[in-house]
Amino acid sequence: MFNIEKFIKTGSIKKDCFKAKTNETLKEHTNLVVEVANNLLKTYPDKFSLHEKMLLCLACQVHDYGKVNEKFQEKINKNTKTNDGEIHHNFLSPLFLEFALLEENFNTSEISNLVTSIYYHHNREEEKENIIKYYNKYMKKNISRCFEKNLEISLSYDKYVLFPYPGPGDKVFDWPSYAKLKGLLQKCDYAGSAGINVLEQFNFENRKRFLEKIETKWNLNSLQKFMKENRSENVIVIAPTGMGKTEASFLWTDMDKAFYTLPLRVASNAIYERAKKTYEYQDVALLHSDAFAFLNNSLQETQINIYEKYKITKQLGDSLTITTIDQLFKFPLKALGHELLFATLSYSKVIIDEIQMYSSTIIACIIVGLPYLVKEGGKFAITTATLPPIFLDLLKENGLKEEQYKIKEFLDFKFPKRHHIKLINNSFQYDLILKQAKNNKVLVICNTVFKAQEVYRYFKSSNVRVNLLHSKFIKKDRQEKEKEILLEAENGIWVSTQIVEASLDIDFDILHTDLSTADSLFQRMGRCYRKRNIDQANPNVYIYNTKEGLKQKNSTGIYDANIYNLTWNYIQKYNDQILTEESKLEIINNIYNKEQLKNTDYLNEIENKIEKLKNCYPGKFDQKKVNDMFRDIHDITVIPEEIYEKNINEINDLKDKYEKSVGLEKINYQNELLKYTLQIPFYKLKNEIYNEFLKDKIYRVYYKYEKSEGLIYEEYNDQYS
């Protein structure tokens, strides 16, 4: 492609006499990693500049040259992880770069990115020992045996190393361009280490057929046409539920690598199955914490095939990946190792569905991350039923320019009048719900699990069919319930929490719901009369001002009290009327603007997190810390004691096999074990009502558990106390 040899002091490797790994020589590994890079660049020829291509190939060529040292070779031959006195190879490899020629052909920033990418491609702390002394003792005599030319070394590269850990006042550098190069180097290195020479799995003919099937199935509406016509642009679209945003998003991906992100795993599963089954697109992948278990249960393939494909998915190698946002948008925290996420997004398209549903941490990461993404060539589409104006303000304030994206609302579509609302300043009208449920599918949404269980118990004693769904069921039971609600066709009652809000294709006749904040409330309404005209004079959406689940200062509530109260105030004028899509947008615009939210906890929390991210330097957080932050470090995995006692032999057998196994077997045993678990907040481990079951992973808790109700916090079994 181009000559990179001139930028390497020693030239290429001439002899296969040193090892990179136990079963692979340095020459073999280097050649394979360079081949991976070249194949990536051939797959996406227009996604990288000439200098980016040259720097990547050079980094891939040189990154492991530091392994030509006796301490490393001794470690490999003895098959040990460490060797006393060794300086890690990544700190030695930059010695091989020809800086005089680099300085003639690249700018200082590009050279810094190259050096630092090689220097930290294994994410280790900086070495403090004398590199020149080490070279003379352990490397010098090996150079002539391995390379075309000798190596005259100096530490001239040191001035190009961008960090470790700059703090306030230290030199500012172009983190996105550095992260792109380092992430691509790591991506190619990992693939080479796994023996994979083609990093990206992209069949362009299959994608073309997939898009054609969508167009054949749909008579494209204004939203879908807009997304198709603007597939080379960044876009923000506001369109009501039922307009086909999923298909519009698929059309926008065009022939590009893409990630479709959603708030919930169950929503991701549903979109994945839509692409796979409705449109028969076999190249779609699924990525979230339970994805392997879901795929293992739903695909008619051998487990080994699923496992091999999922390994590629985890390396972000698929052409279209359906995922939860937490899998990708960790990169603004700049943990060493997460550059791979950003690098992949830099030549991809990313769809962010229902942005208003995310936590303040994820919103802050999106606000800070999108300008980085656009700068390095990535594309984004935000698709949502409601877009709080405050998000646009924050994007502009943090570096995204108005000319860098197109925004459009879609209200020209002839939407059915779907929601006739009734406001009730009191608790649920149980008799009315029971009466309606005899001839209708009724959905009751509560703000808390506790309230949902309480409502369910009331209805359970009636002769009306009733079901309950919330987040505090063990995985085995929850998966069954999620399938049931998606396929529900009979009259009766489903009681649930906000977990049904996002992207679930369910359609109930009547909704009774606790009041929540406007964005959440309108999502809930999208689960009722999803694509139908209301054909009755009576309300089909009942909203109750119960003040359940409000977040006050120093409380563990769910909804911001200020926004909750504003929602109640603004929705008053629509009481006992049809609430149109235009009216919903008007309410959102009236509440979620900077003037209205000034000095509220909601806005202050987001702005504080944005500021922390902008001042975040590489390596401040390690990968584990960042992953914990996104999982919510206060959530832990538990097995209810009653579940444990009923399944004691199987659970203990799985635990024993899990601890003794590796690879695919270990994943399988873990997934089987996790079917008996659920997540609860850490603070619920109190009153000595728990025992550690699997070290640092799973706890046994003595809270009561029932298959129909899930975990019951207010009670725990006295027999275990």
Side-chain angles (χ1 to χ4, degrees):
M1 186 180 285
F2 30 68
N3 179 22
I4 61 170
E5 295 292 321
K6 65 180 182 179
F7 299 109
I8 304 172
K9 290 180 179 180
T10 58
S12 61
I13 302 170
K14 68 177 180 181
K15 289 185 180 178
D16 238 355
C17 50
F18 292 96
K19 292 183 178 180
K21 303 180 186 306
T22 305
N23 57 353
E24 187 177 35
T25 68
L26 180 59
K27 187 173 183 178
E28 288 170 340
H29 176 69
T30 300
N31 289 345
L32 184 54
V33 174
V34 172
E35 183 183 358
V36 172
N38 283 324
N39 286 333
L40 173 66
L41 298 177
K42 287 175 186 175
T43 304
Y44 303 107
D46 301 325
K47 298 296 184 181
F48 308 98
S49 70
L50 177 61
H51 275 203
E52 286 176 331
K53 293 174 183 178
M54 293 176 70
L55 290 169
L56 174 60
C57 289
L58 184 54
C60 289
Q61 182 71 46
V62 174
H63 77 288
D64 273 358
Y65 276 17
K67 289 182 176 179
V68 184
N69 78 81
E70 291 174 16
K71 286 284 186 181
F72 179 84
Q73 294 300 315
E74 187 179 281
K75 179 176 68 176
I76 291 293
N77 290 329
K78 290 181 178 179
N79 197 24
T80 59
K81 291 185 177 180
T82 60
N83 194 355
D84 290 343
E86 179 191 4
I87 291 181
H88 291 113
H89 70 274
N90 48 297
F91 303 120
L92 302 168
S93 295
L95 293 170
F96 292 80
L97 294 172
E98 183 61 82
F99 284 94
L101 281 175
L102 284 172
E103 288 164 355
E104 288 178 15
N105 290 273
F106 299 95
N107 63 42
T108 301
S109 178
E110 290 172 323
I111 300 171
S112 294
N113 292 341
L114 172 65
V115 172
T116 312
S117 295
I118 296 169
Y119 199 78
Y120 282 115
H121 77 270
H122 280 297
N123 309 324
R124 296 185 176 107
E125 296 278 350
E126 184 186 29
E127 293 288 345
K128 304 297 182 186
E129 300 181 44
N130 189 322
I131 286 179
I132 294 179
K133 182 178 178 182
Y134 184 92
Y135 168 80
N136 288 327
K137 187 173 183 180
Y138 297 112
M139 292 181 67
K140 188 173 182 178
K141 60 186 176 185
N142 295 333
I143 298 299
S144 60
R145 293 176 56 201
C146 186
F147 296 101
E148 294 173 352
K149 294 179 282 186
N150 283 322
L151 175 63
E152 294 181 10
I153 72 159
S154 72
L155 287 180
S156 58
Y157 74 81
D158 192 51
K159 66 181 179 181
Y160 290 111
V161 179
L162 291 167
F163 55 90
Y165 321 129
D170 287 346
K171 61 182 178 182
V172 176
F173 71 97
D174 185 359
W175 181 84
S177 63
Y178 152 73
K180 182 177 184 179
L181 179 59
K182 185 200 168 183
L184 290 172
L185 169 59
Q186 286 188 307
K187 197 175 174 75
C188 295
D189 190 21
Y190 295 160
S193 296
I196 300 168
N197 67 339
V198 179
L199 185 62
E200 296 288 337
Q201 307 293 308
F202 204 130
N203 185 314
F204 291 95
E205 285 301 315
N206 286 354
R207 175 65 73 83
K208 184 179 178 183
R209 285 193 290 271
F210 169 55
L211 299 175
E212 287 172 349
K213 283 181 181 178
I214 293 173
E215 292 203 49
T216 300
K217 186 175 177 65
W218 285 76
N219 180 17
L220 299 188
N221 58 40
S222 55
L223 165 66
Q224 292 160 342
K225 288 177 182 176
F226 174 84
M227 293 291 274
K228 181 183 176 184
E229 291 164 1
N230 289 279
R231 52 192 180 271
S232 62
E233 305 289 338
N234 299 306
V235 294
I236 300 175
V237 295
I238 303 101
T241 301
M243 198 171 177
K245 290 198 295 293
T246 300
E247 284 72 17
S249 298
F250 286 152
L251 291 172
W252 178 77
T253 67
D254 195 35
M255 303 299 288
D256 291 305
K257 182 179 179 69
F259 294 88
Y260 196 132
T261 68
L262 296 116
L264 301 173
R265 286 171 296 192
V266 63
S268 298
N269 295 345
I271 299 297
Y272 168 81
E273 292 202 311
R274 192 184 305 188
K276 189 96 174 178
K277 295 179 179 179
T278 304
Y279 300 109
E280 300 176 317
Y281 187 45
Q282 300 307 307
D283 295 344
V284 65
L286 183 68
L287 179 64
H288 56 65
S289 58
D290 284 337
F292 181 76
F294 175 82
L295 296 170
N296 203 20
N297 291 330
S298 63
L299 295 181
Q300 301 299 313
E301 291 189 50
T302 67
Q303 194 174 69
I304 292 175
N305 284 345
I306 295 169
Y307 179 59
E308 291 303 315
K309 289 179 181 178
Y310 191 59
K311 284 199 295 185
I312 293 171
T313 299
K314 289 183 74 175
Q315 291 300 318
L316 310 181
D318 297 283
S319 59
L320 174 62
T321 303
I322 313 299
T323 183
T324 48
I325 195 113
D326 59 290
Q327 297 291 325
L328 301 181
F329 267 81
K330 296 176 273 199
F331 67 81
L333 285 117
K334 303 184 179 74
L336 298 182
H338 280 160
E339 296 94 343
L340 188 150
L341 299 175
F342 177 72
T344 306
L345 293 180
S346 74
Y347 60 92
S348 305
K349 289 179 173 177
V350 58
I351 299 152
I352 302 171
D353 192 37
E354 306 301 353
I355 189 173
Q356 77 286 349
M357 293 194 64
Y358 292 116
S359 69
S360 57
T361 297
I362 293 180
I363 288 173
C365 284
I366 292 171
I367 298 295
V368 173
L370 286 182
Y372 288 165
L373 191 66
V374 172
K375 176 185 177 299
E376 293 304 321
K379 298 287 184 185
F380 73 86
I382 295 174
T383 61
T384 182
T386 56
L387 181 70
I390 189 65
F391 291 168
L392 291 177
D393 292 337
L394 291 171
L395 281 169
K396 291 173 189 174
E397 290 170 10
N398 290 281
L400 191 68
K401 299 173 183 176
E402 288 188 51
E403 60 266 25
Q404 291 179 310
Y405 62 89
K406 290 186 176 182
I407 183 169
K408 191 171 177 63
E409 292 181 358
F410 289 89
L411 297 175
D412 58 327
F413 189 68
K414 292 183 179 179
F415 280 100
K417 290 181 168 55
R418 301 182 295 174
H419 302 129
H420 180 168
I421 69 170
K422 179 71 174 176
L423 304 180
I424 300 163
N425 199 14
N426 212 321
S427 57
F428 286 136
Q429 296 184 343
Y430 293 105
D431 291 343
L432 174 62
I433 295 170
L434 285 170
K435 181 180 177 183
Q436 291 171 337
K438 291 178 181 178
N439 299 301
N440 296 279
K441 291 196 308 179
V442 179
L443 178 62
V444 180
I445 301 181
C446 304
N447 286 353
T448 66
V449 172
F450 179 86
K451 173 74 174 295
Q453 289 171 327
E454 187 180 72
V455 171
Y456 170 78
R457 286 179 203 131
Y458 183 93
F459 291 134
K460 193 166 68 169
S461 59
S462 70
N463 58 358
V464 171
R465 188 168 167 271
V466 60
N467 281 291
L468 176 65
L469 172 63
H470 54 67
S471 61
K472 299 308 174 219
F473 286 98
I474 62 171
K475 288 187 178 183
K476 189 177 179 182
D477 294 342
R478 179 170 168 175
Q479 286 169 358
E480 290 175 5
K481 288 176 173 291
E482 286 172 349
K483 285 180 183 176
E484 287 176 24
I485 196 169
L486 284 168
L487 299 172
E488 185 59 83
E490 297 182 39
N491 294 330
I493 302 169
W494 271 90
V495 182
S496 187
T497 57
Q498 63 270 23
I499 65 169
V500 299
E501 288 178 15
S503 302
L504 275 189
D505 195 5
I506 55 177
D507 186 14
F508 282 76
D509 302 316
I510 297 172
L511 170 66
H512 290 257
T513 178
D514 281 331
L515 178 70
S516 58
T517 53
D519 55 310
S520 165
L521 181 64
F522 298 153
Q523 286 292 123
R524 294 178 183 191
M525 291 168 67
R527 310 309 119 191
C528 172
Y529 266 66
R530 190 166 171 82
K531 299 175 183 177
R532 296 179 281 165
N533 250 314
I534 189 165
D535 53 2
Q536 59 192 35
N538 297 322
N540 65 342
V541 175
Y542 296 80
I543 303 166
Y544 299 83
N545 184 22
T546 59
K547 293 185 168 57
E548 288 278 343
L550 292 193
K551 188 188 295 181
Q552 307 289 352
K553 284 193 180 298
N554 302 318
S555 77
T556 57
I558 301 164
Y559 298 105
D560 182 275
N562 291 310
I563 299 175
Y564 178 98
N565 291 328
L566 286 169
T567 301
W568 182 248
N569 292 338
Y570 275 108
I571 208 169
Q572 290 297 316
K573 69 177 183 177
Y574 301 102
N575 188 24
D576 210 12
Q577 296 179 32
I578 298 288
L579 185 63
T580 64
E581 303 306 321
E582 292 89 344
S583 299
K584 292 175 187 176
L585 287 177
E586 179 187 331
I587 291 171
I588 290 290
N589 291 337
N590 282 331
I591 294 174
Y592 289 92
N593 61 73
K594 197 151 192 181
E595 188 59 35
Q596 189 75 266
L597 296 176
K598 187 163 56 176
N599 298 324
T600 62
D601 291 342
Y602 173 82
L603 182 56
N604 287 340
E605 188 174 343
I606 293 175
E607 289 183 325
N608 288 339
K609 289 183 177 179
I610 288 173
E611 196 59 31
K612 287 179 181 178
L613 285 174
K614 290 171 73 175
N615 293 321
C616 192
Y617 50 82
K620 180 177 182 179
F621 302 109
D622 62 25
Q623 291 189 52
K624 184 179 185 306
K625 174 67 174 176
V626 173
N627 291 338
D628 285 341
M629 290 166 70
F630 272 71
R631 277 196 299 264
D632 186 346
I633 197 169
H634 299 298
D635 277 1
I636 61 166
T637 303
V638 301
I639 298 178
E641 189 66 16
E642 290 176 46
I643 295 296
Y644 176 72
E645 293 290 352
K646 288 177 183 176
N647 303 276
I648 188 167
N649 291 332
E650 183 175 354
I651 290 174
N652 284 337
D653 183 51
L654 287 169
K655 177 190 175 187
D656 184 56
K657 289 176 178 175
Y658 168 80
E659 291 175 334
K660 293 177 181 177
S661 60
V662 295
L664 175 57
E665 276 195 340
K666 194 175 190 73
I667 292 173
N668 278 330
Y669 292 134
Q670 176 178 300
N671 287 333
E672 288 300 310
L673 194 56
L674 290 176
K675 287 181 180 179
Y676 299 100
T677 70
L678 65 142
Q679 298 268 306
I680 68 170
F682 182 78
Y683 70 86
K684 292 290 185 181
L685 288 185
K686 56 186 179 181
N687 300 327
E688 298 181 347
I689 58 170
Y690 69 93
N691 279 316
E692 190 172 65
F693 174 68
L694 193 62
K695 185 172 176 55
D696 297 325
K697 290 183 179 292
I698 300 175
Y699 296 82
R700 281 161 52 188
V701 292
Y702 302 135
Y703 288 111
K704 187 176 180 181
Y705 183 90
E706 291 186 4
K707 186 176 177 66
S708 62
E709 291 189 31
L711 197 72
I712 303 171
Y713 279 142
E714 70 270 25
E715 298 181 44
Y716 68 92
N717 291 344
D718 291 337
Q719 62 177 306
Y720 301 121
S721 62

